[in-house]
Amino acid sequence: MTVVSVARAGKPRIAAAYAAAVRRPLDGVPARSATVAIELDISNLRKSYQATTTILDGVSLAVPGGQSVALIGSNGAGKSTLLRCCLRLIEPNGGSIHLLGEDVRALDHGALRRLRAQIGFVFQRHNLVGQLSVLSNVLHGAQARISGPRGWFHCMAPSALRDEAMHCLDLVGLADFAGRRADQLSGGQSQRVAIARTLMQRPRLMFADEPVASLDPSAGEEVMELFAELIRQQGLTLVFTSHHINHALRFADRVVALRGGRIDIDAMSASLDARDLRGVYE
Amino acid sequence: MSDATLGGPILRPGVVPPPRLTRPSAGMFALYVAAGGFFLFSLHGSDISVRSFIEGLPNMARLVGEMFPPSLARIQSVGISMLETFQMAFAGTVIGVILSVPLAILAARSLTPHVGLYYVARWLIALFRTVPDLVWALFFVVTVGLGPFAGMLTLVVDAIGFCGRFFAEAMEETDKGPQEALTALGARKSGIVFSAVLPAAMPSMINSALFTLEKATRASVVLGLVGAGGIGIELKVAMDLFQYDQAATIIIGVFLLVLVVERLSSMLRQRILRQST
């Protein structure tokens, strides 16, 4: 049975330890479990541009280990900004962010780089280096571990690293494409390579910013199923943004809806249905 | 035929297409007039004379007549000078291109480690580019003496001035997505430069480097005129001694050399751009 067919067999499950701790009714916000560590803890996060455009207006969110969280909301609601602020790809204006126990805003350059190495980030666009081979692109996921040219191009990489990159490619079903130029792949294949690159990081937590928004519905469904299944298999915490309400309900344990830079809904997906979430887009 | 017969739809009142041409502002109009006036002034300053040109046509015909058939009397010496010319161009270009890469990284605003280094690199590149190569050749002839080494140094400086600027621009124009992805996964700045920026900029950089080689091949011919080695000195001597048939051999040789370099660089460009790493 392939990875994709396993995913198609049913809705991805959440980590068993967390499932018992956090299932709550529609308006219930999960309490911090005594047994499951909080991996992402955001408090009163604010981000605005030029003092007039407020993107995030006091967002607070705690995500325990093993949980899968979908961030939904209309364009400009602050979903992508929230994820980027967590890794300081965008500097927030206020509030605090604790990621894997680290105070993100207090980290110096080196410590921030080491923290980022533990977080996989799948972007809306695959962001591969088109002129390089698929294998070199996957290998880049290990750059925080391997310094210098050994982590830049597969021809210079140690055999063990090349084998690990091939394994990651195999997990996304693209081992046969290792030697091909990345810009010769389809959109769906490219996004699967981007997922393989994050797996190469050996991440403890995964962010995904509308990972299938640039794909056609069929490819998007396939990539999302594969992605969710890999996350489930590895027991990773996942925070992803999406415009697909059905993806949020199907692939996330918890749905957080943003509206105007604030949290509008925060509830377990099992207690929601699509009608509860459509209002977010009105 | 009236406009109505062309069959366009009748627009409802209030729907008006924009004007075909926009009226320039007073400042822009003054600028156009000034540019036109300066062009006429430049023609005057250049001593343009149609009469002199027409009267000189027989001289041109006589010169071309004396060039043919080209003389092969000094073909061996010309061949050696031609090889020396290309050696200067090739060595100067390769060294110049290699030195341009780190300088271009410092001169790329998004990659430079410090704003001070950015301005120093930009200033150096501008200096190398704006001073003409003949001036650099005179400078290096005085510094290291007559010969091809002075010519090669000139071409190194010329290549840095040209490639430094275009490499930096190519790096700045690369897609920021892969760079953001590598930043997000904890890559070092050097990793981002070498595994995302340089591969993405490489097609443009190869283009610039090969164009530099073509440019250097042409320039190396002229450098000989000031004693910086190569075929130029042979051409100057032949023209000064009115040996136009020997000059014709040199000019045809230069033409063939530049043509071959252009063809080879074009083929190389296609081959390299198809490969992946």
Side-chain angles (χ1 to χ4, degrees):
Chain A
M1 189 180 276
T2 65
V3 174
V4 172
S5 60
V6 167
R8 282 180 176 147
K11 179 177 174 176
R13 291 162 290 159
I14 59 172
Y18 181 71
V22 299
R23 285 204 177 277
R24 291 286 181 89
L26 175 63
D27 57 348
V29 175
R32 295 183 185 193
S33 164
T35 54
V36 180
I38 299 295
E39 294 200 338
L40 172 62
D41 193 357
I42 300 169
S43 179
N44 197 26
L45 187 66
R46 295 186 307 280
K47 176 66 190 175
S48 57
Y49 293 101
Q50 296 167 345
T52 53
T53 311
T54 300
I55 306 297
L56 297 172
D57 187 12
V59 171
S60 297
L61 180 69
V63 179
Q67 192 176 57
S68 163
V69 177
L71 291 174
I72 65 167
S74 55
N75 290 331
K79 309 183 295 294
S80 300
T81 304
L82 179 60
L83 288 190
R84 281 175 158 77
C85 283
C86 289
L87 288 182
R88 276 176 53 198
L89 296 173
I90 295 175
E91 289 289 345
N93 298 119
S96 71
I97 304 164
H98 284 81
L99 197 49
L100 302 176
E102 301 271 6
D103 182 354
V104 176
R105 297 195 66 196
L107 296 178
D108 63 23
H109 185 73
L112 178 62
R113 201 176 57 73
R114 286 190 290 278
L115 176 67
R116 284 170 174 169
Q118 301 176 65
I119 319 290
F121 199 125
V122 178
F123 291 83
Q124 182 176 337
R125 258 192 73 235
H126 48 76
N127 285 346
L128 301 178
V129 183
Q131 293 77 9
L132 296 186
S133 67
V134 166
L135 188 58
S136 287
N137 272 284
V138 176
L139 197 76
H140 289 169
Q143 280 205 7
R145 280 183 279 146
I146 304 286
S147 61
R150 294 176 306 160
W152 299 344
F153 309 112
H154 77 80
C155 57
M156 297 180 181
S159 296
L161 210 62
R162 283 167 56 92
D163 291 347
E164 189 180 342
M166 284 303 297
H167 174 66
C168 292
L169 265 180
D170 197 25
L171 286 175
V172 299
L174 290 176
D176 293 340
F177 291 71
R180 194 175 285 194
R181 266 177 72 126
D183 57 9
Q184 291 174 353
L185 303 180
S186 69
Q189 289 168 336
S190 297
Q191 200 60 312
R192 283 153 71 185
V193 174
I195 292 169
R197 179 173 61 189
T198 60
L199 295 177
M200 190 70 189
Q201 283 179 252
R202 303 176 189 166
R204 289 175 60 190
L205 191 149
M206 191 78 90
F207 288 156
D209 186 11
E210 298 186 37
V212 298
S214 61
L215 307 179
D216 65 61
S218 164
E221 203 68 18
E222 191 180 323
V223 167
M224 198 62 210
E225 283 177 351
L226 170 72
F227 184 52
E229 177 59 18
L230 287 169
I231 296 291
R232 191 197 63 78
Q233 281 179 348
Q234 307 211 2
L236 295 174
T237 308
L238 169 67
V239 181
F240 70 98
T241 69
S242 181
H243 278 307
H244 296 270
I245 290 173
N246 61 328
H247 282 179
L249 293 173
R250 188 172 160 205
F251 297 114
D253 307 318
R254 176 180 169 193
V255 178
V256 174
L258 289 171
R259 196 205 291 247
R262 292 169 180 261
I263 291 181
D264 194 35
I265 297 172
D266 183 355
M268 303 309 293
S269 54
S271 62
L272 292 167
D273 64 32
R275 281 171 300 179
D276 298 320
L277 301 176
R278 280 194 194 110
V280 174
Y281 292 93
E282 287 168 358
Chain B
M1 190 166 57
S2 70
D3 283 356
T5 59
L6 292 174
I10 298 166
L11 298 176
R12 67 181 172 79
V15 177
V16 182
R20 291 178 188 275
L21 297 171
T22 50
R23 184 191 291 268
S25 65
M28 281 307 293
F29 183 74
L31 199 66
Y32 293 147
V33 172
F38 191 72
F39 174 66
L40 294 175
F41 181 60
S42 302
L43 290 179
H44 176 72
S46 305
D47 279 344
I48 295 277
S49 167
V50 177
R51 186 178 165 193
S52 298
F53 184 74
I54 290 169
E55 285 177 357
L57 282 177
N59 292 338
M60 190 190 290
R62 187 166 47 79
L63 176 64
V64 172
E66 287 182 29
M67 281 181 157
F68 286 91
S71 165
L72 300 178
R74 298 185 63 244
I75 188 70
Q76 193 178 355
S77 163
V78 168
I80 290 169
S81 293
M82 200 76 80
L83 178 64
E84 185 183 279
T85 303
F86 183 67
Q87 285 172 323
M88 276 164 51
F90 189 67
T93 300
V94 171
I95 295 171
V97 165
I98 290 170
L99 294 177
S100 295
V101 175
L103 202 60
I105 291 170
L106 297 178
R109 196 179 281 275
S110 55
L111 303 178
T112 191
H114 192 273
V115 69
L117 289 173
Y118 167 81
Y119 283 111
V120 169
R122 282 277 167 178
W123 183 84
L124 263 179
I125 290 169
L127 175 73
F128 291 163
R129 193 179 61 254
T130 49
V131 175
D133 47 10
L134 271 183
V135 177
W136 283 116
L138 289 169
F139 177 78
F140 285 121
V141 164
V142 172
T143 308
V144 300
L146 294 167
F149 184 45
M152 195 208 73
L153 289 174
T154 302
L155 295 172
V156 167
V157 169
D158 205 37
I160 294 174
F162 184 78
C163 289
R165 178 187 171 184
F166 286 104
F167 285 7
E169 285 177 3
M171 290 177 200
E172 282 178 346
E173 286 166 6
T174 52
D175 181 7
K176 297 293 179 285
Q179 296 169 46
E180 187 183 31
L182 291 187
T183 303
L185 59 78
R188 291 175 176 79
K189 190 93 178 214
S190 57
I192 294 169
V193 170
F194 283 96
S195 54
V197 178
L198 286 180
M202 197 53 74
S204 174
M205 288 169 65
I206 288 172
N207 229 358
S208 298
L210 291 174
F211 188 66
T212 304
L213 178 62
E214 296 169 21
K215 190 166 139 338
T217 309
R218 284 192 297 271
S220 60
V221 175
V222 183
L223 296 182
L225 298 178
V226 292
I231 191 73
I233 191 68
E234 295 276 355
L235 182 61
K236 184 175 186 312
V237 169
M239 293 296 274
D240 286 350
L241 299 178
F242 307 109
Q243 292 169 339
Y244 298 129
D245 50 351
Q246 288 187 17
T249 308
I250 295 167
I251 291 168
I252 291 169
V254 168
F255 169 72
L256 290 176
L257 177 65
V258 174
L259 200 68
V260 167
V261 169
E262 283 185 1
R263 292 299 305 158
L264 282 178
S265 74
S266 177
M267 284 165 52
L268 205 62
R269 191 179 292 133
Q270 296 300 324
R271 278 187 76 86
I272 290 173
L273 297 188
R274 273 201 297 268
Q275 289 175 350
S276 65
T277 306

